[in-house]
Amino acid sequence: FMEASGYLNGLDPYPERVVSSSDFPQRFSVSSIYELPFGKGKRFFGSFTRAGDKIAGGWQVQGVYTGQSGQALGFGTSIFTGDIKAVPLPKDQRTADRWFNINAGFERSSSRALSFNYRTLNSRFSGFRGDGINQWNLSVIKNTRIGESKTVQFRAEGINALNHVMFLNPNTNPTSGGFGTITDEKSSGRAIQLGLKFLW
């Protein structure tokens, strides 16, 4: 997803054509729901009494998985004299303390920053991205029929049920002491919520 909506320099005749901050090359989402075969009319315990069926029947389990690429990032107004291809690290080497190669050619000293310069380094790079999404949401649902047309539904839901850590974007300011590090997560981790719904 490319865009040309902003100027790299104020006097440029044309907007910069660059990968968008909304570009996510890969996104995969799948959901499933399964009704447990217990209770009246089901494979197991079909001969339960009415009261037993209210307890054993109507159970469902649900899962939703979402996987997505991270956001394209850039380094703002910075001095870079190296090979931009040397900046990204292999996935198995990325950590919150070192998300990319900070020694690939960035000028780290703030005293050498230019007071005025013509920018040529792109504002974002497709090959340099923050952390993506890797999340399972799981639910247990209990439907209890009341009469012919009314149902009470109880839901127990686990958001990010496997408590997978997903990081915010790293610090991309070369003159910052935290350059290349990540100090926070996209969410607070696993969350459990309960709900009760009346359907008629």
Side-chain angles (χ1 to χ4, degrees):
F1 175 23
M2 303 294 291
E3 65 181 17
S5 58
Y7 291 85
L8 196 60
N9 301 283
L11 299 178
D12 287 348
Y14 303 106
E16 177 196 20
R17 186 172 184 272
V18 66
V19 62
S20 172
S21 61
S22 299
D23 175 71
F24 302 102
Q26 289 87 36
R27 180 176 173 85
F28 177 75
S29 183
V30 61
S31 64
S32 63
I33 187 166
Y34 177 68
E35 185 169 355
L36 301 181
F38 304 139
K40 185 178 179 180
K42 301 297 190 297
R43 183 175 179 183
F44 301 105
F45 311 123
S47 60
F48 265 5
T49 63
R50 184 185 181 107
D53 181 63
K54 295 293 185 188
I55 297 172
W59 288 96
Q60 298 173 320
V61 290
Q62 182 180 33
V64 179
Y65 173 75
T66 303
Q68 179 177 287
S69 303
Q71 187 178 39
L73 303 175
F75 301 96
T77 303
S78 58
I79 301 173
F80 181 77
T81 56
D83 180 1
I84 199 68
K85 294 180 180 179
V87 176
L89 291 174
K91 286 186 178 181
D92 60 349
Q93 295 181 24
R94 295 176 198 163
T95 66
D97 295 324
R98 188 172 182 263
W99 192 254
F100 53 85
N101 182 10
I102 63 175
N103 299 313
F106 294 98
E107 176 54 61
R108 303 289 311 281
S109 174
S110 58
S111 64
R112 299 191 63 182
L114 303 175
S115 57
F116 177 81
N117 64 290
Y118 187 82
R119 293 180 62 184
T120 58
L121 191 67
N122 288 351
S123 58
R124 281 185 294 274
F125 297 90
S126 179
F128 173 65
R129 294 180 177 271
D131 196 20
I133 297 174
N134 182 8
Q135 178 171 294
W136 275 100
N137 297 335
L138 303 176
S139 305
V140 176
I141 304 164
K142 174 67 169 79
N143 293 303
T144 304
R145 291 181 64 87
I146 301 175
E148 292 296 324
S149 60
K150 300 178 180 64
T151 301
V152 174
Q153 183 184 86
F154 169 76
R155 303 177 66 95
E157 300 174 323
I159 310 301
N160 190 15
L162 302 184
N163 204 30
H164 185 86
V165 176
M166 293 173 287
F167 296 116
L168 286 176
N169 291 334
N171 183 323
T172 56
N173 180 1
T175 60
S176 167
F179 182 50
T181 66
I182 299 173
T183 57
D184 207 351
E185 301 175 20
K186 294 182 190 291
S187 65
S188 58
R190 181 191 298 117
I192 305 295
Q193 61 185 27
L194 305 177
L196 193 64
K197 184 187 294 185
F198 181 60
L199 307 171
W200 72 93

